[in-house]
Amino acid sequence: MLKPIKNKIQYEDALQRVYELMQKNLKPESKESDELEVLSILVKEYELEHYPVSKPSPLEAIKFRIEQMGMSEVELSEILGARSRKSEILSGKRKLSLAMIRKLNEVLHIPAEVLIQAY
């Protein structure tokens, strides 16, 4: 019977079982498939509580996303309004405006909750 994960030993056991189940060719709606789904949820909840991942700073998120999308700095300047403004923002000398946050969210698909953080 599946139970909530309450300590590191149970967490590691659950991870091992998830790995074992993932190595099998499970049929949808099977008992083992359901076990995998429930265990995955339990592991995720344990990790969220015990191993939280902090959000990136707005500047890290912007730099990562433009690199990921293969964008040039000229394209980023077009989003932010001017070349000098882009340099000021990426160096931390200028803060993002609400209009810039909206545009970055729309074009680069960076979550607004990341962009509005203090930095």
Side-chain angles (χ1 to χ4, degrees), residues 57-86:
S57 77
L59 301 181
E60 290 170 343
I62 293 168
K63 290 174 184 177
F64 174 78
R65 191 67 176 132
I66 62 171
E67 181 181 321
Q68 188 181 43
M69 294 178 72
M71 290 180 71
S72 68
E73 291 198 7
V74 172
E75 292 172 296
L76 181 59
S77 295
E78 291 171 3
I79 294 169
L80 297 176
R83 184 178 216 140
S84 61
R85 190 170 292 150
K86 175 207 52 114

Side-chain angles (χ1 to χ4, degrees), residues 5 7-20 39 43:
I5 300 171
N7 58 50
K8 190 168 183 175
I9 293 171
Q10 292 174 341
Y11 169 69
E12 290 174 358
D13 289 344
L15 283 179
Q16 179 61 37
R17 182 63 180 151
V18 166
Y19 178 77
E20 290 168 7
L39 267 177
V43 166

Side-chain angles (χ1 to χ4, degrees), residues 83-97:
R83 184 178 216 140
S84 61
R85 190 170 292 150
K86 175 207 52 114
S87 296
E88 291 173 343
I89 288 169
L90 292 180
S91 68
K93 293 178 182 175
R94 178 182 274 233
K95 301 294 181 192
L96 292 168
S97 69

Side-chain angles (χ1 to χ4, degrees), residues 5 11 39-51:
I5 300 171
Y11 169 69
L39 267 177
S40 297
I41 293 167
L42 293 171
V43 166
K44 176 185 170 191
E45 290 303 313
Y46 184 87
E47 289 175 344
L48 287 173
E49 184 176 337
H50 293 89
Y51 304 107

Side-chain angles (χ1 to χ4, degrees), residues 65-66 69 71 79 103-110:
R65 191 67 176 132
I66 62 171
M69 294 178 72
M71 290 180 71
I79 294 169
K103 188 84 171 182
L104 289 165
N105 174 259
E106 178 185 317
V107 177
L108 300 182
H109 306 288
I110 300 172

